Amino acid sequence: MLPDLASTRADYESFKARGLKLDMTRGKPSPEQLSLSDAMLVPQGNGDTTTAAGEDARNYGGDLRGLPEVRALFAEALGLPADAIVLGNNSSLALMHDCIVWALLKGVPGGERPWSREPSPAFICPVPGYDRHFGLAEDFGFRLLPVPLTGQGPDMDAVEALAADPAVKGMWCVPRYSNPTGETYADETVRRLAAMRTGAPDFRLFWDDAYAVHHLTAARTPLAPILDLCAAAGHPDRAFCFASTSKVTLAGAGVALFAASPANVAWYLARAGRRTIGADKLNQLRHLRFLRDAEGLHAHMARHRALIAPKFDAVLDALERRLSGTGLARWSRPEGGYFISVDVLPGTAARVVDLAKAAGLALTPAGATWPQGRDPEDANLRLAPTFPSLKDVAAAAEGIALCIALAGLEARAA
Amino acid sequence: MLPDLASTRADYESFKARGLKLDMTRGKPSPEQLSLSDAMLVPQGNGDTTTAAGEDARNYGGDLRGLPEVRALFAEALGLPADAIVLGNNSSLALMHDCIVWALLKGVPGGERPWSREPSPAFICPVPGYDRHFGLAEDFGFRLLPVPLTGQGPDMDAVEALAADPAVKGMWCVPRYSNPTGETYADETVRRLAAMRTGAPDFRLFWDDAYAVHHLTAARTPLAPILDLCAAAGHPDRAFCFASTSKVTLAGAGVALFAASPANVAWYLARAGRRTIGADKLNQLRHLRFLRDAEGLHAHMARHRALIAPKFDAVLDALERRLSGTGLARWSRPEGGYFISVDVLPGTAARVVDLAKAAGLALTPAGATWPQGRDPEDANLRLAPTFPSLKDVAAAAEGIALCIALAGLEARAA
């Protein structure tokens, strides 16, 4: 039932009068989530810094791929072969950056030349998507080609049409609990991505499995194994995979990883070996001593879920109560990840963010989920409920729902 | 007095018969040195992860330059303005790499185009020098132009002549306790580097002050302040400075830093902000809680010195006893840093390394200190005495001196 503009405005004004100050802009873990990993900062047992191979993790040296026992842990947790994994420092975005600059300057396996020598290279960008992905590619001169997400992953007809162009060198993917829609790519989507014909022989999927173990329900949504499917389709080198523990252990002090085919790993190591003697092995050991094994990691993620699932529920509940049946918004009901995506009436997303700001609620800028920060429909909002307390999230959600309703009713009245 | 070939060969064979197995290849701290920092791995006091600004160092966010209190510590210890400093993760080499790839792809302040668009860009390489510096530049296609070191830093007439070429974009410098010669650039050398005319308006000194606080004597050899001198000479943006705590605290888990002019820092942050949300702030805090302040850092380095100065003495003693007055070798007597540089008879360095290997002593490959790993004289050896125990270093030094004598006497006899 459609609420009335005057009463919605009155509700908004009274919400605004509460003088709240809440930040829902970024997907940050809450202090309580970070405290789940505090034990990682204390050496386990005897504070042992010796690796399984008997090496001193405090010193230079060892396998540039990272400690084998830590790679084995992540391999099991993520369903990847340990040999495919290279560990980095605290940021998977940094590993994506490095792959892009190395592709630009040196080329990638299967390529005919460095990407910087292509006349007008481009990246496919499923939308809505992650602003830092888009910004990174744009900053290095790639054209960004948006394709819509469907709930099953990107519109594959559109992707296949774009990928046929040899200038299209890469594609951003957050295949599981996508940022911000929460959707997981269907098996058929993953299969088509692995199998499709690409104009560029060195086309790469930038497969950012950022939320691989970040479930919001008891079900662990599976994702088809991209490396296996690429190999089976005769494109073994198509995917660069990334993940990190930024939202498993500590957001500024996790372990990131790169995973790919043997040829890609050899390429990556040849480049990385020029850049560094190795990533921080002590932080790798901290993770191992703390998480212990894949089962320990999943148990840890269940404790995250207990903290954040109620926050997602609070947002969904407010949206439901204020907006269900009004036609003023549609929203995702994610089963994992860090975001709720809301599509409001076209032309009103920026107005919603302004109304929220005036009421003390900081939201991710409208358009942030689109290339260049410009949503052509001005319709998508990304809500990040994890950081504030449950009480604050519930209050903020009420306000956001009000802002969406008010902006929508204003637009209809105009 | 020249030893006799037959008796030297007999001494070598008897040394070889001892069946030692020692590695003197890389400048790695010893386990005892690393243990000096073990307390850093235990949270100090209450294990506080809150920054001076009251922020939670476990989460994303804060100043991309790193924690101000940690930048202030390094600023004081290194004689740099805190505002000029940006903290990185565990590798200063990685920061140099990033500056090079960004210079190639985006250009640097004062430049007319990205360095990758220059027809044949080049780096000046003082020799003997650090293999990883040379390899990094070479891997990205720079021509490497060797210039001799003089004991006061590079031959500045040669540097000025080369730098007049607009294709020369950069120069590697390890200005203090240089790797491997141990020399510190004289004030006049630093002044000329800051003041010289360069053909490229965007020429950069890659100023790797890797051994800034790594003294082997009670004297702390000063280094003229490159950023100030560049600014005074009207070239404020000429120097990219680098340092790290890899050989202060833990070799695989230290904190690296970039330091430069305001324009360079702004440029660096614009690039770094695409790559990462920030470096590991918990590791920055670990350093602060452990080292406390510049005085604490210097006191810590004095404890390193107590462990490693006797190892340098053991090597110098063996060289002196076996080779002094023979004309078969000259060597550095470093007052800091991690290496002893030995110049043997031209044409015999590779033979020395082979002889040493046969006797169980792993030395840095001959030529490693030159671009492309090719020493045109086959004369320079780099000795790295820090990692083995004092007893092993003494034994190895004896063997190395024997190998040098034997290779030299063989060459003279040929």
Side-chain angles (χ1 to χ4, degrees):
Chain A
M1 233 209 13
L2 206 60
D4 147 74
L5 176 57
S7 74
T8 301
R9 186 169 284 143
D11 286 354
Y12 170 76
E13 291 299 336
S14 95
F15 180 88
K16 193 171 157 183
R18 291 170 63 185
L20 296 179
K21 196 162 164 41
L22 296 172
D23 188 333
M24 302 265 284
T25 56
R26 303 280 342 167
K28 290 169 68 165
S30 67
E32 294 74 21
Q33 286 177 271
L34 299 170
S35 292
L36 294 175
S37 298
D38 274 353
M40 192 174 74
L41 301 178
V42 182
Q44 304 297 297
N46 59 357
D48 190 2
T49 54
T50 304
T51 70
E55 292 176 340
D56 186 344
R58 302 171 305 173
N59 217 330
Y60 294 122
D63 191 330
L64 184 57
R65 294 178 296 177
L67 298 179
E69 57 268 41
V70 182
R71 288 161 45 224
L73 188 166
F74 293 128
E76 190 186 345
L78 300 175
L80 290 166
D83 277 351
I85 292 179
V86 182
L87 303 179
N89 278 323
N90 70 329
S91 165
S92 58
L93 186 68
L95 307 188
M96 299 172 214
H97 166 281
D98 292 352
C99 285
I100 286 180
V101 298
W102 296 335
L104 283 165
L105 291 169
K106 307 287 290 186
V108 298
E112 285 151 4
R113 64 187 75 85
W115 290 6
S116 61
R117 302 239 190 95
E118 301 287 341
S120 184
F123 256 68
I124 298 171
C125 299
V127 285
Y130 180 34
D131 50 354
R132 290 184 191 270
H133 283 169
F134 300 162
L136 177 58
E138 190 190 6
D139 191 50
F140 285 115
F142 290 90
R143 290 177 296 125
L144 305 183
L145 310 174
V147 297
L149 285 161
T150 65
Q152 307 284 305
D155 176 334
M156 281 309 301
D157 292 342
V159 169
E160 286 164 353
L162 289 170
D165 177 351
V168 174
K169 306 302 274 186
M171 175 173 173
W172 291 114
C173 300
V174 183
R176 186 145 38 181
Y177 307 138
S178 186
N179 170 358
T181 67
E183 72 199 81
T184 296
Y185 291 13
D187 290 355
E188 177 61 9
T189 304
V190 180
R191 196 199 57 73
R192 285 175 72 177
L193 286 168
M196 68 185 178
R197 199 183 69 73
T198 62
D202 54 351
F203 175 90
R204 286 294 182 282
L205 298 167
F206 279 66
W207 195 256
D208 182 5
D209 201 1
Y211 307 104
V213 293
H214 305 60
H215 314 291
L216 285 167
T217 76
R220 294 182 192 163
T221 305
L223 175 68
I226 186 68
L227 292 178
D228 294 349
L229 290 170
C230 286
H235 308 128
D237 302 329
R238 176 166 292 182
F240 285 163
C241 302
F242 306 93
S244 85
T245 67
S246 293
K247 292 176 182 101
V248 173
T249 55
L250 298 169
V255 168
L257 68 81
F258 169 81
S261 69
N264 283 333
V265 166
W267 169 85
Y268 182 94
L269 291 173
R271 305 273 74 74
R274 295 294 187 181
R275 186 176 184 274
T276 178
I277 298 173
D280 183 338
K281 296 190 296 290
L282 287 179
N283 207 32
Q284 295 171 21
L285 270 190
R286 270 184 211 106
H287 279 73
L288 181 69
R289 308 274 193 250
F290 175 64
L291 297 169
R292 294 216 297 275
D293 52 26
E295 199 180 325
L297 187 151
H298 289 301
H300 181 72
M301 294 313 295
R303 291 187 282 274
H304 277 286
R305 176 185 148 213
L307 289 170
I308 67 176
K311 298 180 182 181
F312 281 81
D313 290 343
V315 173
L316 294 172
D317 181 61
L319 295 173
E320 187 74 27
R321 276 188 291 100
R322 286 273 173 194
L323 297 165
S324 182
T326 64
L328 296 175
R330 305 179 282 128
W331 54 90
S332 61
R333 287 175 185 77
E335 299 186 343
Y338 259 59
F339 301 100
I340 291 169
S341 179
V342 185
D343 285 322
V344 298
L345 286 196
T348 71
R351 173 69 177 152
V352 170
V353 173
D354 287 345
L355 286 168
K357 186 178 176 188
L361 304 176
L363 299 186
T364 307
T369 57
W370 277 73
Q372 283 100 32
R374 285 195 295 272
D375 173 358
E377 297 272 302
D378 185 27
N380 185 251
L381 293 172
R382 185 185 85 164
L383 305 183
T386 55
F387 183 75
S389 70
L390 178 57
K391 179 168 158 286
D392 285 350
V393 167
E398 194 67 29
I400 292 164
L402 267 170
C403 294
I404 293 169
L406 180 54
L409 293 169
E410 285 174 347
R412 286 201 174 157
Chain B
M1 238 211 9
L2 205 60
D4 149 73
L5 176 56
S7 74
T8 301
R9 185 168 286 142
D11 286 355
Y12 170 75
E13 291 300 333
S14 94
F15 180 87
K16 192 171 158 184
R18 291 170 64 185
L20 296 178
K21 198 165 163 41
L22 296 172
D23 188 333
M24 301 265 284
T25 56
R26 304 282 339 169
K28 290 169 67 166
S30 66
E32 294 74 22
Q33 286 178 271
L34 299 169
S35 292
L36 293 175
S37 298
D38 274 352
M40 192 174 75
L41 301 177
V42 182
Q44 302 299 296
N46 60 356
D48 189 3
T49 55
T50 304
T51 70
E55 292 177 340
D56 186 343
R58 300 170 307 174
N59 216 330
Y60 294 122
D63 192 330
L64 183 58
R65 294 177 295 176
L67 298 179
E69 57 269 41
V70 182
R71 288 161 44 225
L73 188 167
F74 293 129
E76 191 187 345
L78 300 175
L80 291 166
D83 277 351
I85 292 179
V86 182
L87 302 180
N89 278 324
N90 69 330
S91 164
S92 57
L93 187 68
L95 307 188
M96 300 171 214
H97 165 281
D98 292 351
C99 285
I100 286 179
V101 298
W102 296 335
L104 283 165
L105 290 169
K106 307 287 289 187
V108 298
E112 284 153 4
R113 65 187 73 86
W115 291 6
S116 61
R117 303 238 188 95
E118 301 288 340
S120 183
F123 256 68
I124 298 171
C125 299
V127 286
Y130 179 34
D131 52 354
R132 291 184 189 271
H133 282 169
F134 300 161
L136 177 58
E138 190 189 6
D139 190 50
F140 285 115
F142 291 90
R143 289 177 297 126
L144 305 183
L145 310 174
V147 297
L149 286 162
T150 64
Q152 307 283 305
D155 175 335
M156 282 307 301
D157 292 342
V159 169
E160 286 164 353
L162 289 170
D165 178 351
V168 174
K169 307 302 271 188
M171 175 173 173
W172 291 115
C173 301
V174 183
R176 188 149 31 183
Y177 307 137
S178 186
N179 171 356
T181 67
E183 72 198 81
T184 296
Y185 292 13
D187 289 356
E188 177 61 8
T189 304
V190 180
R191 195 199 58 72
R192 285 175 73 177
L193 286 168
M196 68 184 178
R197 199 183 68 74
T198 63
D202 54 352
F203 175 89
R204 286 296 182 281
L205 298 167
F206 279 65
W207 195 256
D208 183 4
D209 201 1
Y211 306 103
V213 293
H214 305 60
H215 314 292
L216 284 168
T217 76
R220 294 182 192 163
T221 304
L223 175 68
I226 187 69
L227 291 179
D228 294 349
L229 290 171
C230 286
H235 308 127
D237 302 329
R238 176 166 291 181
F240 285 163
C241 303
F242 305 92
S244 85
T245 67
S246 293
K247 293 179 183 98
V248 174
T249 55
L250 298 168
V255 168
L257 67 81
F258 169 82
S261 69
N264 282 334
V265 166
W267 169 85
Y268 183 95
L269 291 173
R271 304 272 73 77
R274 295 294 186 182
R275 186 176 184 273
T276 178
I277 298 173
D280 183 338
K281 297 191 294 292
L282 288 179
N283 207 32
Q284 295 171 20
L285 270 190
R286 269 184 212 108
H287 278 73
L288 180 70
R289 309 276 194 248
F290 174 65
L291 297 169
R292 293 217 297 276
D293 52 26
E295 199 180 327
L297 187 150
H298 288 302
H300 181 72
M301 294 313 294
R303 291 187 282 273
H304 277 286
R305 177 186 146 209
L307 289 170
I308 66 176
K311 298 181 181 180
F312 282 80
D313 289 343
V315 174
L316 294 172
D317 182 59
L319 295 174
E320 187 75 28
R321 274 187 293 101
R322 286 270 173 196
L323 297 165
S324 183
T326 65
L328 296 175
R330 305 179 283 128
W331 52 92
S332 62
R333 287 175 184 77
E335 299 188 341
Y338 260 57
F339 301 100
I340 292 169
S341 179
V342 184
D343 284 322
V344 297
L345 286 196
T348 70
R351 173 69 178 154
V352 171
V353 173
D354 286 346
L355 286 168
K357 187 178 175 191
L361 304 176
L363 299 186
T364 308
T369 58
W370 278 74
Q372 282 101 32
R374 285 194 295 272
D375 174 358
E377 297 272 302
D378 185 28
N380 186 250
L381 293 173
R382 185 184 84 164
L383 305 183
T386 56
F387 183 74
S389 70
L390 178 57
K391 181 169 155 287
D392 285 350
V393 166
E398 195 66 29
I400 292 163
L402 267 172
C403 294
I404 292 170
L406 179 55
L409 294 170
E410 285 174 347
R412 286 202 173 157

